[in-house]
Amino acid sequence: MAPKAGLSREQVIDAAAVIADREGLEAVTLATVAAALGVRSPSLYSHVAGVDGLRRALGRKAATRLAAELGAAAAGHEADAGAGLRAVAHAYRTFGHDHRGLYAALLPIPRADDDAEGAAAAAEPVRVIATLLDGLGVAGTDHVDVIRAPRALLHGFVDLELGGGFGLVDPVDASFEAALDLVLGALSRRSGR
């Protein structure tokens, strides 16, 4: 089927991203995206491979956008990787809050043998963190293990925040800083810096 004149794949994905961030990832269907674009659902099939293809495209868009935001946060921290990691952590949290639907689209991480383009996009944010770990003196062979700890903290924290999992009246921002202090302190001790 030929693409609808005047409608691009990027417009379809952008419309889906707006719906996801406004209403949640589960609200992204071909019908809701088509309605937002003023077309019929079958018109979207020339741009995406059904709702699954649309959600895969959203995952790639989310990973690429997150990588750009993490990269911008890390910029200027080449001399202080710890400060760079803290800035990246804040950018990650902000991304989760500002783009709830895109954030949800980040998971599950696609496997390279199933979706090479998606796996490559998912690796982009990791590269930003790996560069900072290099600055801390963490060996490349240790990157996977070391990256998983702060990633688990960040995802868990943001997921709990977005899901209303912090019910106490204590300030959540202070808890986030305390969690970062723990992880960054452990990374500094591990690297000997």
Side-chain angles (χ1 to χ4, degrees), residues 120-179:
E124 291 178 32
V126 175
R127 275 193 279 283
V128 174
I129 297 168
T131 299
L132 291 167
L133 292 178
D134 288 339
L136 277 178
V138 175
T141 55
D142 292 340
H143 281 184
V144 171
D145 294 333
V146 173
I147 287 172
R148 283 179 174 161
R151 181 170 180 253
L153 163 77
L154 291 172
H155 177 69
F157 200 98
V158 171
D159 195 47
L160 284 167
E161 263 188 304
L162 295 179
F166 293 125
L168 300 176
V169 297
D170 300 71
V172 175
D173 290 344
S175 297
F176 186 71
E177 291 302 327

Side-chain angles (χ1 to χ4, degrees), residues 52-63:
D52 290 338
L54 181 59
R55 290 192 179 173
R56 280 193 304 276
L58 275 178
R60 289 190 292 273
K61 180 180 187 69

Side-chain angles (χ1 to χ4, degrees), residues 20-22 62 65-66 69-70 88-106 154-155 157-163 176:
D21 283 346
R22 185 181 60 225
R65 192 161 180 185
L66 176 61
E69 293 188 20
L70 298 185
V88 162
H90 281 280
Y92 183 98
R93 183 178 179 214
T94 298
F95 181 85
H97 282 269
D98 291 351
H99 303 286
R100 292 172 182 232
L102 282 178
Y103 184 75
L106 288 168
L154 291 172
H155 177 69
F157 200 98
V158 171
D159 195 47
L160 284 167
E161 263 188 304
L162 295 179
F176 186 71

Side-chain angles (χ1 to χ4, degrees), residues 3 6 10 12 14 39 44 47-48 54 59 64 66 70 73 75 80 113 115 127 142 169 178-179 189:
E10 195 59 34
V12 171
D14 286 347
V39 299
L44 302 182
H47 301 287
V48 293
L54 181 59
T64 300
L66 176 61
L70 298 185
D80 186 352
D113 53 346
D115 180 1
R127 275 193 279 283
D142 292 340
V169 297
R189 285 188 300 280

Side-chain angles (χ1 to χ4, degrees), residues 103-114:
Y103 184 75
L106 288 168
L107 295 177
I109 301 292
R111 294 173 43 95
D113 53 346
D114 295 331

Side-chain angles (χ1 to χ4, degrees), residues 1-4 7 9 41-49:
M1 178 182 288
K4 177 175 171 51
L7 184 63
R9 175 178 167 79
S41 297
S43 300
L44 302 182
Y45 281 97
S46 59
H47 301 287
V48 293

